Amino acid sequence: MVARLDIVSIKTLLRRALQARRSCLIPTFCRNFVSVTSVFVVTNRDSMKNGFVIFCSLILFFNYSSGQLIWKVLPNAPKANSRIDDFFFISPLIGWAAMIDSGLIYKTTDGGLHWTKQLDASQPSPARFRSIGFADSLLGWAGVLSYPTAYLWQTTDGGTNWSVVPNLPSGPIGMCGISVVNQSVIYGCGIYNPVSPHLVKTTNGGQSWTAINMSTQAGSLVDCYFWSPDSGFVVGSGVSGSGLGQKKAIVLVTSNGGQTWQSSY
């Protein structure tokens, strides 16, 4: 399967492929019919304007009796002016969706059949929610592209109430991607445009945060994924190039919590 995606869409595809491999989001009846064999990320070598091309032996959900792909339209899904920028499910039934253009966060408890608006941060100007992630059914975070006061919000009651994280380090101006490893370790990265490449992390559940300036390794960062407290990758654009549209795509990997990085692509 070959799918052409813009740089915004890579975050959902990569994360879902990795999570599906661990079967944490796949219903029991179809786990035996899921295959994720490889994911490769390539880009136009001359420009990032055309975005990413993803080559995947991707996730195929087969109906046991018919052998057909199972895709369903969710008629009650929240509507966005431009797009739903990110979503995160902690189980096949419970998940959240974040809106970049309206400052809204929605939750479903029945696998997407029905959605409830939990947060409206549209006034005085919308909080442009770009990423969202949860450690469990209660504890979660939402990253913001631009907001007058902060680039990260938090909930401790499953999204019923949200508040701005008060103790964020200076440097980052937005959070494009979030990776929740567990209740203690959370990573975030951004931003893509304007250029401000930083990795943000906590190892104590958000009591304190540190920021790592990535400007020597990347021109911008758009997403991250960590499969352990110390090991993960970030994706974005390279340092060299006359402008953002001329920079090459990069994938950087760390095995020590972001202290050092190696180029994977």
Side-chain angles (χ1 to χ4, degrees):
M1 177 185 294
V2 179
R4 192 170 194 80
L5 306 174
D6 60 26
I7 196 167
V8 171
S9 304
I10 186 177
K11 63 188 312 173
T12 299
L13 181 60
L14 286 176
R15 186 171 63 209
R16 287 198 137 234
L18 288 166
Q19 289 178 328
R21 188 175 181 88
R22 294 166 173 82
S23 299
C24 61
L25 297 183
I26 301 171
T28 302
F29 67 84
C30 64
R31 284 178 183 169
N32 292 332
F33 304 94
V34 176
S35 173
V36 182
T37 58
S38 58
V39 178
F40 303 90
V41 184
V42 297
T43 185
N44 185 320
R45 283 290 182 177
D46 298 322
S47 172
M48 290 187 66
K49 292 181 179 179
N50 292 329
F52 289 99
V53 179
I54 311 297
F55 294 91
C56 300
S57 298
L58 202 54
I59 309 165
L60 300 180
F61 296 89
F62 287 97
N63 181 287
Y64 184 82
S65 59
S66 65
Q68 298 297 312
L69 291 171
I70 299 175
W71 293 101
K72 295 182 179 179
V73 175
L74 300 177
N76 299 315
K79 301 295 190 298
N81 295 332
S82 61
R83 63 179 185 256
I84 299 175
D85 228 59
D86 198 14
F87 62 91
F88 189 91
F89 277 72
I90 61 168
S91 74
L93 296 179
I94 301 174
W96 294 262
M99 308 286 197
I100 193 172
D101 55 4
S102 55
L104 303 178
I105 292 179
Y106 286 81
K107 181 180 182 179
T108 179
T109 58
D110 57 10
L113 296 178
H114 301 88
W115 295 81
T116 300
K117 182 169 64 176
Q118 288 192 310
L119 175 63
D120 186 342
S122 59
Q123 300 295 330
S125 60
R128 302 182 64 204
F129 291 114
R130 178 67 173 80
S131 53
I132 192 166
F134 276 73
D136 52 36
S137 61
L138 299 177
L139 189 59
W141 294 265
V144 182
L145 272 189
S146 58
Y147 192 70
T149 56
Y151 52 84
L152 187 64
W153 293 50
Q154 179 178 341
T155 179
T156 58
D157 55 13
T160 301
N161 296 284
W162 292 84
S163 60
V164 171
V165 176
N167 54 341
L168 293 172
S170 60
I173 59 175
M175 189 165 291
C176 292
I178 289 177
S179 181
V180 180
V181 181
N182 52 46
Q183 292 182 341
S184 298
V185 181
I186 301 96
Y187 287 88
C189 73
I191 189 171
Y192 179 65
N193 188 26
V195 177
S196 177
H198 284 80
L199 184 77
V200 179
K201 65 180 289 188
T202 178
T203 57
N204 54 21
Q207 297 180 40
S208 61
W209 298 80
T210 58
I212 301 173
N213 191 326
M214 299 281 290
S215 59
T216 59
Q217 294 97 349
S220 63
L221 294 177
V222 70
D223 202 15
C224 60
Y225 182 84
F226 280 74
W227 53 88
S228 76
D230 294 317
S231 299
F233 62 77
V234 294
V235 296
S237 68
V239 177
S240 61
S242 58
L244 187 61
Q246 302 300 318
K247 296 178 184 293
K248 297 178 181 179
I250 60 168
V251 179
L252 303 175
V253 179
T254 181
S255 59
N256 55 19
Q259 297 180 42
T260 58
W261 298 86
Q262 287 77 44
S263 175
S264 179
Y265 173 82

